[in-house]
Amino acid sequence: MRKGILFDLDGVLVSTDRLHYLAWKRLADELGIAGFTEEDNEKQRGVSRMESLAVVLAKGGKRYSEEEKLVLADKKNGYYRELLETLDESALLANVPQTLRQLRADGYKMAIGSVSKNAPVILEKTGIAGLVDAVSCGLDITKSKPDPEVFLVAAKKLGLAPEQCLVVEDAAAGITAAKRGGMASLGVGPYYETLGGDFCARSLAEPIDWKRIMES
Ligand code: B16
Ligand code: MG
């Protein structure tokens, strides 16, 4: 029987995609890269900061050294951190605090499994830091999803084996990471039907039979 639930953060519990988009757009404009759209921003869902930068740079004609890329990614993060200053509980997706409280009352252990290095700030600002038992994020890992590292670290922090955990994800890379890590998965978000999760639901605001999922 499964005892732990590992939640991805962006796209599952909070919505920060607009802020990521605005920060990348500001960088793209500075670099003279035209045509970086919210559609391109979709390709950045659940992937690392450097892979997200590659999506932006692919829109321009110029090549950058690895060193220059690090500087650019850092610059975008500065813009994103400025925007995160305004973050509050209104960024939480529907029914999130209620779901976390209910799952805790039902006796499940919960952790965050996010590749974002800003996860601790986001959890504090949105007021849900105290509703989970552990956080595994970009600061704890060297390999991004679809590598399972972030979820393996999360399971370890909860003191559980991978097969005792369910991963909740909105990105295909995260579902693949769960599978590679030997964990069951629940796909949510706009692409929930095609993510390939073992279970799926449009969002955490839908009626989800957690008991059935955790006991199956
Ligand atoms: P940062 P998740 C991911 O978070 C975002 O979905 C993705 O768009 C972002 O590039 C990545 O975090 C890295 O974030 O630049 O803040 O370290 O979905 O894994 O919670
Ligand atoms: Mg996500």
Side-chain angles (χ1 to χ4, degrees), residues 3-131:
K3 295 180 170 169
I5 307 175
L6 314 180
F7 288 98
D8 172 56
L9 186 58
D10 288 335
V12 172
L13 302 181
V14 303
S15 176
T16 53
D17 37 340
R18 177 84 192 147
L19 304 187
H20 275 296
Y21 170 70
L22 292 173
W24 284 121
K25 178 81 178 130
R26 185 170 164 189
L27 183 75
D29 287 347
E30 274 178 23
L31 296 174
I33 295 175
F36 174 70
T37 63
E38 290 194 62
E39 205 173 276
D40 298 312
N41 184 228
E42 278 300 314
K43 295 180 204 143
Q44 297 171 317
R45 187 179 281 266
V47 306
S48 72
R49 194 179 302 171
M50 294 311 284
E51 285 166 302
S52 295
L53 174 67
V55 173
V56 177
L57 296 184
K59 287 266 148 179
K62 222 179 133 195
R63 292 179 75 84
Y64 296 87
S65 69
E66 287 311 307
E67 211 169 286
E68 286 170 323
K69 285 185 197 168
L70 287 173
V71 172
L72 293 177
D74 209 42
K75 209 168 190 191
K76 177 267 174 178
N77 194 50
Y79 299 153
Y80 181 56
R81 292 293 289 239
E82 272 177 34
L83 294 168
L84 284 182
E85 285 299 318
T86 65
L87 203 72
D88 60 23
E89 59 279 0
S90 66
L92 290 173
L93 291 166
N95 208 33
V96 163
Q98 295 89 334
T99 301
L100 297 178
R101 285 200 188 92
Q102 184 58 54
L103 291 171
R104 175 169 276 176
D106 291 342
Y108 299 115
K109 291 265 172 229
M110 287 173 289
I112 299 297
S114 164
V115 299
S116 175
K117 292 188 166 106
N118 294 298
V121 177
I122 296 169
L123 291 167
E124 284 304 329
K125 289 248 171 210
T126 54
I128 56 169
L131 298 182

Side-chain angles (χ1 to χ4, degrees), residues 114-166:
S114 164
V115 299
S116 175
K117 292 188 166 106
N118 294 298
V121 177
I122 296 169
L123 291 167
E124 284 304 329
K125 289 248 171 210
T126 54
I128 56 169
L131 298 182
V132 293
D133 304 292
V135 177
S136 167
C137 71
L139 302 170
D140 299 285
I141 57 165
T142 56
K143 287 164 276 175
S144 288
K145 301 165 190 174
D147 190 280
E149 186 181 13
V150 75
F151 292 130
L152 293 174
V153 170
K156 198 166 180 196
K157 286 192 180 194
L158 291 182
L160 297 174
E163 58 273 17
Q164 290 178 298
C165 296
L166 172 79

